[in-house]
Coordinates of all heavy atoms in Angstrom, one line a residue:
T1 N 0.8 -1.2 0.0 CA 0.0 0.0 0.1 C 0.9 1.3 0.0 O 0.6 2.2 -0.8 CB -1.0 0.0 1.2 OG1 -1.7 -1.2 1.2 CG2 -1.9 1.2 1.2
S2 N 1.9 1.2 0.8 CA 2.8 2.5 0.9 C 3.5 2.7 -0.5 O 3.8 3.7 -0.9 CB 3.8 2.4 2.0 OG 4.6 1.2 1.8
H3 N 3.8 1.6 -1.2 CA 4.4 1.7 -2.6 C 3.5 2.4 -3.5 O 3.8 3.3 -4.3 CB 4.7 0.3 -3.1 CG 5.3 0.4 -4.4 ND1 6.6 0.9 -4.7 CD2 4.8 -0.1 -5.7 CE1 6.8 0.8 -6.0 NE2 5.8 0.2 -6.6
F4 N 2.2 2.0 -3.5 CA 1.2 2.7 -4.3 C 1.0 4.1 -4.0 O 0.9 5.0 -4.8 CB -0.1 2.0 -4.3 CG -0.1 0.6 -5.2 CD1 -0.3 -0.6 -4.5 CD2 0.3 0.6 -6.5 CE1 -0.3 -1.7 -5.2 CE2 0.4 -0.6 -7.2 CZ 0.0 -1.8 -6.5
V5 N 1.0 4.4 -2.7 CA 0.9 5.8 -2.2 C 2.1 6.6 -2.7 O 2.0 7.7 -3.2 CB 0.7 5.9 -0.7 CG1 0.9 7.4 -0.2 CG2 -0.5 5.3 -0.2
A6 N 3.4 6.0 -2.6 CA 4.5 6.7 -3.1 C 4.4 7.0 -4.6 O 4.9 8.0 -5.1 CB 5.8 5.8 -2.8
L7 N 4.0 5.9 -5.4 CA 3.8 6.2 -6.8 C 2.9 7.3 -7.1 O 3.1 8.1 -8.0 CB 3.4 4.9 -7.4 CG 4.4 3.7 -7.5 CD1 3.7 2.5 -8.1 CD2 5.6 4.2 -8.3
Q8 N 1.8 7.4 -6.4 CA 0.9 8.4 -6.7 C 1.3 9.8 -6.3 O 1.1 10.8 -7.0 CB -0.5 8.1 -6.0 CG -1.2 6.9 -6.5 CD -1.4 6.9 -8.0 OE1 -2.0 7.9 -8.5 NE2 -1.1 5.9 -8.6
I9 N 2.1 9.8 -5.2 CA 2.7 11.1 -4.8 C 3.7 11.5 -5.8 O 3.8 12.7 -6.1 CB 3.3 10.9 -3.4 CG1 2.3 10.9 -2.3 CG2 4.3 12.1 -3.0 CD1 2.8 10.7 -0.9
G10 N 4.4 10.5 -6.4 CA 5.4 10.8 -7.5 C 4.7 11.4 -8.7 O 5.2 12.4 -9.3
V11 N 3.5 10.9 -9.0 CA 2.8 11.4 -10.2 C 2.4 12.8 -9.9 O 2.4 13.7 -10.8 CB 1.5 10.6 -10.5 CG1 0.7 11.2 -11.5 CG2 2.1 9.2 -11.1
L12 N 1.9 13.1 -8.7 CA 1.5 14.4 -8.3 C 2.6 15.4 -8.3 O 2.5 16.6 -8.8 CB 0.8 14.5 -7.0 CG -0.6 13.8 -6.9 CD1 -1.1 13.8 -5.5 CD2 -1.6 14.5 -7.8
L13 N 3.8 15.0 -7.8 CA 4.9 15.9 -7.8 C 5.4 16.2 -9.3 O 5.8 17.2 -9.6 CB 6.1 15.3 -7.0 CG 5.8 15.3 -5.5 CD1 6.9 14.5 -4.8 CD2 5.8 16.6 -4.9
K14 N 5.4 15.2 -10.1 CA 5.9 15.3 -11.5 C 4.9 16.2 -12.2 O 5.3 17.1 -12.9 CB 5.8 14.0 -12.2 CG 6.5 14.0 -13.6 CD 6.4 12.7 -14.3 CE 7.7 12.0 -14.2 NZ 7.8 10.8 -15.0
G15 N 3.6 16.1 -12.0 CA 2.6 17.0 -12.5 C 2.9 18.4 -12.1 O 2.6 19.4 -12.8
T16 N 3.2 18.7 -10.9 CA 3.4 20.0 -10.3 C 4.7 20.6 -11.0 O 4.6 21.8 -11.3 CB 3.7 19.9 -8.8 OG1 2.6 19.3 -8.2 CG2 3.9 21.3 -8.2
C17 N 5.7 19.8 -11.2 CA 6.9 20.3 -11.9 C 6.5 20.7 -13.4 O 6.9 21.7 -13.9 CB 8.0 19.3 -12.0 SG 8.7 19.0 -10.4
Y18 N 5.7 19.8 -14.0 CA 5.2 20.2 -15.4 C 4.4 21.5 -15.5 O 4.5 22.3 -16.3 CB 4.4 19.0 -16.0 CG 5.2 17.8 -16.4 CD1 4.6 16.5 -16.4 CD2 6.5 17.8 -16.7 CE1 5.3 15.4 -16.8 CE2 7.2 16.7 -17.1 CZ 6.6 15.5 -17.1 OH 7.3 14.4 -17.5
L19 N 3.6 21.6 -14.4 CA 2.7 22.8 -14.4 C 3.6 24.0 -14.2 O 3.3 25.1 -14.8 CB 1.7 22.7 -13.3 CG 0.7 23.8 -13.1 CD1 -0.2 23.9 -14.4 CD2 -0.2 23.7 -12.0
A20 N 4.6 24.0 -13.3 CA 5.5 25.1 -13.2 C 6.1 25.5 -14.5 O 6.3 26.7 -14.8 CB 6.5 24.8 -12.1
E21 N 6.5 24.5 -15.3 CA 7.0 24.8 -16.6 C 5.9 25.4 -17.7 O 6.3 26.3 -18.4 CB 7.7 23.6 -17.1 CG 8.6 23.8 -18.4 CD 7.9 23.7 -19.7 OE1 7.0 22.9 -19.7 OE2 8.3 24.4 -20.7
E22 N 4.8 24.8 -17.6 CA 3.8 25.2 -18.5 C 3.2 26.6 -18.3 O 2.6 27.1 -19.2 CB 2.6 24.1 -18.5 CG 3.0 22.8 -19.2 CD 3.3 22.9 -20.6 OE1 2.5 23.6 -21.4 OE2 4.2 22.3 -21.1
I23 N 3.3 27.0 -17.0 CA 2.7 28.4 -16.8 C 3.4 29.4 -17.7 O 2.7 30.4 -18.1 CB 3.0 28.7 -15.3 CG1 1.9 27.9 -14.6 CG2 2.8 30.2 -15.0 CD1 1.9 28.1 -13.0
F24 N 4.7 29.1 -18.1 CA 5.4 30.1 -18.9 C 4.9 30.1 -20.4 O 5.2 30.9 -21.2 CB 6.9 29.9 -18.9 CG 7.5 30.2 -17.5 CD1 7.9 29.2 -16.7 CD2 7.6 31.4 -17.1 CE1 8.4 29.4 -15.5 CE2 8.1 31.7 -15.8 CZ 8.5 30.7 -15.0
H25 N 4.1 29.0 -20.7 CA 3.6 28.8 -22.1 C 2.1 28.8 -22.2 O 1.6 28.3 -23.1 CB 4.1 27.4 -22.6 CG 5.6 27.3 -22.5 ND1 6.5 28.0 -23.4 CD2 6.4 26.6 -21.7 CE1 7.7 27.6 -23.0 NE2 7.7 26.8 -22.1
L26 N 1.5 29.5 -21.2 CA 0.1 29.6 -21.3 C -0.5 30.2 -22.6 O -1.5 29.7 -23.1 CB -0.5 30.4 -20.1 CG -0.6 29.7 -18.8 CD1 -1.1 30.7 -17.7 CD2 -1.4 28.5 -18.8
Q27 N 0.0 31.2 -23.1 CA -0.5 31.9 -24.3 C -0.2 31.1 -25.5 O -1.1 30.9 -26.4 CB 0.1 33.3 -24.4 CG -0.4 34.3 -23.4 CD -1.8 34.5 -23.3 OE1 -2.5 34.5 -24.3 NE2 -2.3 34.6 -22.1
S28 N 1.0 30.6 -25.6 CA 1.4 29.9 -26.9 C 0.8 28.5 -27.0 O 0.4 28.0 -28.1 CB 2.9 29.9 -27.0 OG 3.4 29.1 -25.9
R29 N 0.7 27.7 -25.9 CA 0.2 26.3 -26.0 C -1.2 26.1 -25.5 O -1.8 25.2 -26.0 CB 1.2 25.5 -25.1 CG 2.6 25.3 -25.6 CD 3.3 24.4 -24.6 NE 4.7 24.4 -25.0 CZ 5.7 23.9 -24.2 NH1 5.4 23.4 -23.1 NH2 6.9 24.0 -24.7
H30 N -1.7 26.9 -24.6 CA -3.0 26.7 -24.0 C -3.9 27.9 -24.3 O -5.0 27.9 -23.5 CB -2.8 26.4 -22.5 CG -1.9 25.3 -22.3 ND1 -2.1 24.0 -22.6 CD2 -0.6 25.2 -21.8 CE1 -1.1 23.2 -22.2 NE2 -0.1 24.0 -21.7
H31 N -3.6 28.8 -25.1 CA -4.5 29.9 -25.4 C -5.0 30.7 -24.2 O -6.0 31.1 -24.0 CB -5.7 29.6 -26.2 CG -5.3 28.7 -27.4 ND1 -4.7 29.3 -28.5 CD2 -5.5 27.4 -27.7 CE1 -4.5 28.3 -29.4 NE2 -4.9 27.2 -28.9
G32 N -4.0 30.8 -23.2 CA -4.2 31.6 -22.0 C -5.1 31.0 -21.0 O -5.5 31.6 -19.9
S33 N -5.5 29.7 -21.2 CA -6.3 29.0 -20.2 C -5.5 28.2 -19.2 O -4.8 27.2 -19.5 CB -7.3 28.0 -21.0 OG -8.0 27.2 -20.1
F34 N -5.6 28.6 -17.9 CA -4.9 27.9 -17.0 C -5.4 26.5 -16.7 O -4.7 25.6 -16.5 CB -5.0 28.8 -15.6 CG -4.3 28.0 -14.5 CD1 -2.9 28.1 -14.3 CD2 -5.1 27.4 -13.5 CE1 -2.3 27.4 -13.3 CE2 -4.4 26.7 -12.4 CZ -3.1 26.7 -12.3
W35 N -6.8 26.3 -16.9 CA -7.4 25.1 -16.7 C -7.0 24.0 -17.8 O -6.8 22.8 -17.5 CB -8.9 25.3 -16.7 CG -9.4 26.0 -15.6 CD1 -9.9 27.2 -15.6 CD2 -9.2 25.8 -14.2 NE1 -10.2 27.7 -14.3 CE2 -9.8 26.8 -13.5 CE3 -8.8 24.6 -13.5 CZ2 -9.8 26.8 -12.1 CZ3 -8.8 24.6 -12.1 CH2 -9.3 25.7 -11.3
R36 N -6.7 24.5 -19.0 CA -6.1 23.6 -20.0 C -4.7 23.1 -19.6 O -4.3 21.9 -19.8 CB -6.1 24.3 -21.4 CG -7.4 24.4 -22.0 CD -7.1 25.0 -23.4 NE -8.5 25.1 -24.1 CZ -8.6 25.6 -25.3 NH1 -7.5 26.0 -25.9 NH2 -9.8 25.7 -25.9
A37 N -3.9 24.0 -19.1 CA -2.6 23.7 -18.7 C -2.7 22.7 -17.5 O -1.9 21.7 -17.4 CB -1.8 25.0 -18.3
L38 N -3.6 23.0 -16.6 CA -3.7 22.1 -15.4 C -4.1 20.7 -15.8 O -3.6 19.7 -15.4 CB -4.8 22.7 -14.5 CG -4.9 22.1 -13.1 CD1 -3.6 22.2 -12.3 CD2 -6.1 22.7 -12.4
S39 N -5.1 20.6 -16.8 CA -5.6 19.3 -17.2 C -4.5 18.5 -18.1 O -4.5 17.3 -18.1 CB -6.8 19.4 -18.0 OG -6.7 20.1 -19.2
A40 N -3.6 19.3 -18.7 CA -2.6 18.7 -19.4 C -1.5 18.1 -18.5 O -0.9 17.1 -18.9 CB -2.0 19.7 -20.4
C41 N -1.3 18.7 -17.4 CA -0.3 18.3 -16.4 C -0.8 17.2 -15.5 O 0.1 16.5 -15.0 CB 0.3 19.4 -15.7 SG 1.1 20.7 -16.8
F42 N -2.0 17.2 -15.2 CA -2.6 16.3 -14.2 C -3.6 15.4 -14.7 O -4.8 15.9 -14.9 CB -3.1 17.0 -12.9 CG -2.1 17.7 -12.1 CD1 -1.9 19.1 -12.3 CD2 -1.2 17.1 -11.3 CE1 -1.0 19.7 -11.5 CE2 -0.3 17.7 -10.4 CZ -0.2 19.1 -10.6
P43 N -3.4 14.2 -15.0 CA -4.5 13.3 -15.5 C -5.3 12.9 -14.3 O -5.2 11.8 -13.7 CB -3.8 12.1 -16.1 CG -2.4 12.1 -15.4 CD -2.1 13.5 -15.2
L44 N -6.2 13.8 -13.8 CA -6.8 13.7 -12.5 C -7.8 12.5 -12.4 O -8.1 12.0 -11.3 CB -7.4 15.0 -12.0 CG -6.4 16.0 -11.6 CD1 -7.1 17.3 -11.2 CD2 -5.6 15.5 -10.5
R45 N -8.4 12.1 -13.5 CA -9.5 11.1 -13.3 C -9.0 9.9 -12.6 O -9.5 9.5 -11.7 CB -10.0 10.8 -14.7 CG -11.1 11.7 -15.2 CD -11.7 11.1 -16.5 NE -11.9 12.3 -17.3 CZ -11.7 12.3 -18.6 NH1 -11.3 11.2 -19.2 NH2 -11.8 13.4 -19.3
W46 N -7.9 9.3 -13.2 CA -7.4 8.0 -12.6 C -6.6 8.2 -11.4 O -6.8 7.5 -10.4 CB -6.6 7.4 -13.7 CG -5.9 6.1 -13.2 CD1 -4.6 6.0 -13.0 CD2 -6.5 4.9 -12.9 NE1 -4.3 4.8 -12.6 CE2 -5.4 4.0 -12.5 CE3 -7.7 4.4 -12.9 CZ2 -5.6 2.7 -12.1 CZ3 -8.0 3.1 -12.4 CH2 -6.9 2.2 -12.1
H47 N -5.7 9.2 -11.4 CA -4.8 9.4 -10.3 C -5.5 9.9 -9.1 O -5.1 9.5 -7.9 CB -3.6 10.2 -10.7 CG -2.7 9.6 -11.7 ND1 -2.0 8.5 -11.4 CD2 -2.5 9.9 -13.1 CE1 -1.3 8.1 -12.5 NE2 -1.7 8.9 -13.5
A48 N -6.4 10.7 -9.2 CA -7.2 11.2 -8.0 C -7.8 10.0 -7.2 O -7.8 10.0 -6.0 CB -8.1 12.3 -8.4
L49 N -8.4 9.2 -8.0 CA -9.2 8.0 -7.4 C -8.1 7.1 -6.8 O -8.3 6.6 -5.7 CB -10.0 7.3 -8.5 CG -10.7 6.0 -8.1 CD1 -11.7 6.3 -6.9 CD2 -11.2 5.3 -9.3
M50 N -7.0 6.9 -7.5 CA -5.9 6.0 -7.0 C -5.4 6.5 -5.7 O -5.1 5.8 -4.7 CB -4.9 5.7 -8.0 CG -5.3 4.7 -9.0 SD -5.6 3.1 -8.4 CE -4.0 2.6 -7.8
L51 N -5.1 7.8 -5.6 CA -4.5 8.5 -4.5 C -5.5 8.4 -3.3 O -5.1 8.1 -2.2 CB -4.2 9.9 -4.8 CG -3.5 10.7 -3.7 CD1 -2.1 10.0 -3.4 CD2 -3.3 12.1 -4.0
L52 N -6.8 8.6 -3.6 CA -7.8 8.5 -2.6 C -7.9 7.1 -1.9 O -7.8 6.9 -0.7 CB -9.1 9.0 -3.0 CG -10.3 8.9 -2.0 CD1 -10.0 9.9 -1.0 CD2 -11.6 9.2 -2.7
I53 N -7.9 6.1 -2.8 CA -8.0 4.6 -2.4 C -6.7 4.3 -1.6 O -6.8 3.7 -0.6 CB -8.3 3.7 -3.5 CG1 -9.7 4.0 -4.1 CG2 -8.1 2.3 -3.2 CD1 -10.0 3.3 -5.4
C54 N -5.6 4.6 -2.2 CA -4.3 4.2 -1.5 C -4.0 4.9 -0.3 O -3.6 4.4 0.7 CB -3.1 4.4 -2.6 SG -3.1 3.4 -4.0
G55 N -4.4 6.2 -0.3 CA -4.2 7.0 0.9 C -5.1 6.4 2.1 O -4.7 6.3 3.2
S56 N -6.4 6.1 1.7 CA -7.2 5.6 2.8 C -6.8 4.2 3.2 O -6.8 3.9 4.5 CB -8.7 5.3 2.1 OG -9.1 6.6 1.8
A57 N -6.3 3.3 2.3 CA -5.8 2.1 2.7 C -4.5 2.2 3.6 O -4.3 1.5 4.6 CB -5.5 1.2 1.6
Y58 N -3.7 3.1 3.3 CA -2.4 3.4 4.0 C -2.8 3.9 5.4 O -2.1 3.3 6.4 CB -1.6 4.4 3.2 CG -0.2 4.7 3.9 CD1 0.8 3.8 3.9 CD2 0.0 5.9 4.6 CE1 2.0 3.9 4.5 CE2 1.2 6.1 5.2 CZ 2.2 5.1 5.1 OH 3.4 5.3 5.7
V59 N -3.7 4.8 5.5 CA -4.1 5.2 6.9 C -4.7 4.1 7.7 O -4.4 3.9 8.9 CB -4.9 6.5 6.8 CG1 -5.6 6.8 8.2 CG2 -4.2 7.6 6.2
A60 N -5.5 3.3 7.1 CA -6.2 2.2 7.7 C -5.2 1.1 8.1 O -5.4 0.5 9.2 CB -7.2 1.6 6.8
L61 N -4.2 0.9 7.4 CA -3.2 -0.2 7.7 C -2.0 0.3 8.4 O -1.1 -0.6 8.7 CB -2.8 -0.9 6.4 CG -3.9 -1.6 5.6 CD1 -3.3 -2.1 4.3 CD2 -4.5 -2.8 6.5
L62 N -2.0 1.5 8.7 CA -0.7 2.1 9.4 C -0.5 1.4 10.7 O -1.4 1.5 11.6 CB -0.9 3.6 9.5 CG 0.3 4.3 10.0 CD1 1.5 4.3 9.0 CD2 0.0 5.8 10.3
D63 N 0.6 0.8 10.8 CA 0.9 0.2 12.1 C 1.4 1.2 13.1 O 1.9 2.2 12.8 CB 1.9 -1.0 12.0 CG 3.1 -0.6 11.4 OD1 3.2 0.5 10.9 OD2 4.1 -1.3 11.5
G64 N 1.2 0.9 14.4 CA 1.6 1.8 15.4 C 3.1 1.9 15.7 O 3.5 1.4 16.7
D65 N 3.9 2.5 14.8 CA 5.3 2.5 15.0 C 5.7 3.8 15.8 O 6.9 4.1 16.0 CB 6.1 2.5 13.7 CG 5.8 3.6 12.7 OD1 4.9 4.4 13.1 OD2 6.5 3.6 11.7
G66 N 4.7 4.6 16.2 CA 4.9 5.8 16.9 C 5.3 7.0 16.1 O 5.4 8.1 16.7
Q67 N 5.4 6.9 14.8 CA 5.8 8.1 14.0 C 4.5 8.7 13.4 O 3.6 7.9 13.0 CB 6.7 7.6 12.8 CG 8.0 7.0 13.3 CD 8.9 8.0 14.0 OE1 8.9 9.2 13.7 NE2 9.5 7.5 15.1
P68 N 4.4 10.0 13.3 CA 3.2 10.7 12.8 C 3.1 10.3 11.2 O 4.1 10.2 10.6 CB 3.4 12.1 13.1 CG 4.9 12.3 13.4 CD 5.4 11.0 13.8
L69 N 1.9 10.4 10.8 CA 1.6 10.1 9.4 C 2.3 11.1 8.5 O 2.8 10.9 7.4 CB 0.1 10.1 9.1 CG -0.4 9.9 7.7 CD1 0.0 8.4 7.2 CD2 -1.9 10.0 7.6
I70 N 2.4 12.4 9.0 CA 2.9 13.5 8.1 C 4.4 13.2 7.9 O 4.9 13.6 6.8 CB 2.7 14.9 8.7 CG1 3.0 16.0 7.7 CG2 3.4 15.1 10.0 CD1 2.1 16.0 6.6
L71 N 5.1 12.6 8.8 CA 6.5 12.2 8.7 C 6.6 11.2 7.6 O 7.5 11.3 6.8 CB 7.1 11.7 10.0 CG 8.5 11.3 9.9 CD1 9.4 12.4 9.7 CD2 9.0 10.6 11.2
H72 N 5.8 10.1 7.6 CA 5.9 9.2 6.6 C 5.5 9.7 5.2 O 6.3 9.5 4.2 CB 4.8 8.1 6.8 CG 5.1 7.2 7.9 ND1 6.0 6.1 7.8 CD2 4.7 7.2 9.3 CE1 6.1 5.5 9.0 NE2 5.3 6.1 9.9
L73 N 4.6 10.6 5.1 CA 4.3 11.3 3.7 C 5.3 12.2 3.3 O 5.7 12.3 2.1 CB 2.9 11.9 3.8 CG 1.7 11.0 4.0 CD1 0.4 11.7 4.1 CD2 1.6 10.0 2.9
S74 N 6.0 12.9 4.2 CA 7.1 13.9 4.0 C 8.2 13.0 3.4 O 8.9 13.4 2.4 CB 7.5 14.7 5.1 OG 6.4 15.5 5.6
L75 N 8.6 12.0 4.1 CA 9.7 11.2 3.7 C 9.5 10.5 2.3 O 10.4 10.5 1.4 CB 10.1 10.1 4.7 CG 10.7 10.6 6.0 CD1 10.9 9.5 6.9 CD2 12.0 11.3 5.7
T76 N 8.3 10.1 2.0 CA 7.9 9.5 0.7 C 8.0 10.6 -0.4 O 8.5 10.3 -1.4 CB 6.5 9.0 0.8 OG1 6.4 8.0 1.9 CG2 6.1 8.4 -0.5
S77 N 7.5 11.8 0.0 CA 7.6 12.9 -1.0 C 9.1 13.3 -1.4 O 9.4 13.5 -2.5 CB 6.9 14.2 -0.5 OG 5.5 13.9 -0.3
L78 N 9.9 13.3 -0.3 CA 11.3 13.6 -0.5 C 12.0 12.6 -1.4 O 12.8 12.9 -2.3 CB 12.0 13.8 0.8 CG 11.7 15.1 1.6 CD1 12.4 15.1 2.9 CD2 12.1 16.3 0.7
C79 N 11.7 11.3 -1.1 CA 12.2 10.2 -1.9 C 11.8 10.4 -3.3 O 12.6 10.1 -4.3 CB 11.9 8.9 -1.3 SG 12.7 8.5 0.3
Q80 N 10.5 10.6 -3.5 CA 10.1 10.8 -4.9 C 10.7 11.9 -5.7 O 11.0 11.9 -6.8 CB 8.5 10.9 -5.0 CG 7.8 9.6 -4.7 CD 8.0 8.5 -5.7 OE1 8.2 8.8 -6.9 NE2 8.2 7.3 -5.3
L81 N 10.9 13.0 -4.9 CA 11.5 14.2 -5.6 C 13.0 13.8 -5.9 O 13.5 14.3 -7.0 CB 11.5 15.4 -4.6 CG 10.2 16.2 -4.5 CD1 10.3 17.2 -3.5 CD2 9.9 16.8 -5.9
L82 N 13.6 13.1 -5.1 CA 15.0 12.7 -5.4 C 15.0 11.7 -6.6 O 15.9 11.9 -7.5 CB 15.6 12.0 -4.2 CG 17.0 11.5 -4.3 CD1 18.0 12.7 -4.4 CD2 17.5 10.7 -3.1
I83 N 14.1 10.9 -6.7 CA 14.0 9.9 -7.9 C 13.8 10.8 -9.1 O 14.4 10.5 -10.2 CB 12.9 8.9 -7.7 CG1 13.3 7.9 -6.6 CG2 12.5 8.3 -9.0 CD1 12.2 7.0 -6.2
L84 N 12.9 11.8 -9.1 CA 12.7 12.6 -10.3 C 13.9 13.5 -10.6 O 14.2 13.6 -11.7 CB 11.5 13.6 -10.0 CG 10.1 13.0 -9.9 CD1 9.1 14.0 -9.5 CD2 9.8 12.4 -11.2
A85 N 14.6 14.1 -9.6 CA 15.8 14.8 -9.8 C 16.9 14.0 -10.4 O 17.7 14.5 -11.2 CB 16.2 15.5 -8.5
L86 N 17.1 12.8 -10.0 CA 18.2 12.0 -10.6 C 17.8 11.3 -11.8 O 18.6 10.6 -12.4 CB 18.5 11.0 -9.5 CG 19.1 11.4 -8.2 CD1 19.4 10.3 -7.2 CD2 20.4 12.2 -8.5
G87 N 16.5 11.4 -12.2 CA 16.0 10.8 -13.5 C 16.0 9.3 -13.5 O 16.2 8.6 -14.4
L88 N 15.7 8.8 -12.3 CA 15.6 7.3 -12.1 C 14.2 6.8 -12.4 O 14.0 5.6 -12.4 CB 16.0 7.0 -10.7 CG 17.4 7.3 -10.3 CD1 17.6 7.0 -8.8 CD2 18.4 6.6 -11.2
H89 N 13.2 7.6 -12.6 CA 11.8 7.2 -12.8 C 11.6 6.7 -14.2 O 11.9 7.3 -15.2 CB 10.8 8.3 -12.4 CG 9.4 7.8 -12.3 ND1 8.6 8.0 -13.3 CD2 8.8 7.1 -11.3 CE1 7.4 7.5 -12.9 NE2 7.6 6.9 -11.7

């Protein structure tokens, strides 16, 4: 479950990076529409559902290791950013 959560977080982080780049091309590529740029960077239909299911399962199955959930999600996000930065994905 945590692997699927990490993959979905990676997709969201990658989409955020794409959106940061696409903002500079709103006029030329997306005719000034921020929503077109947003939908081009985030395929939300599938990934939003997967993130919701995986996140719910992760919280439900989280064992009591004494660490807060935000720490787990932060470490997962940092690992995914490192994977993106190193081009390992």
Side-chain angles (χ1 to χ4, degrees):
T1 304
S2 61
H3 176 70
F4 287 121
V5 170
L7 289 175
Q8 295 306 309
I9 288 174
V11 169
L12 290 175
L13 291 172
K14 187 184 260 188
T16 303
C17 293
Y18 287 155
L19 183 62
E21 192 268 330
E22 286 297 317
I23 286 179
F24 296 106
H25 304 287
L26 279 179
Q27 294 301 323
S28 61
R29 293 183 187 166
H30 306 288
H31 306 291
S33 174
F34 179 76
W35 296 112
R36 283 186 182 179
L38 189 67
S39 65
C41 296
F42 293 102
L44 287 180
R45 276 188 220 141
W46 173 252
H47 292 293
L49 178 64
M50 282 297 293
L51 185 63
L52 180 65
I53 292 170
C54 291
S56 299
Y58 183 71
V59 170
L61 296 174
L62 187 64
D63 58 347
D65 64 353
Q67 300 296 324
L69 179 63
I70 192 70
L71 178 66
H72 288 276
L73 294 177
S74 299
L75 290 174
T76 302
S77 298
L78 287 174
C79 289
Q80 287 297 323
L81 282 173
L82 184 63
I83 288 170
L84 290 174
L86 295 177
L88 299 174
H89 192 258

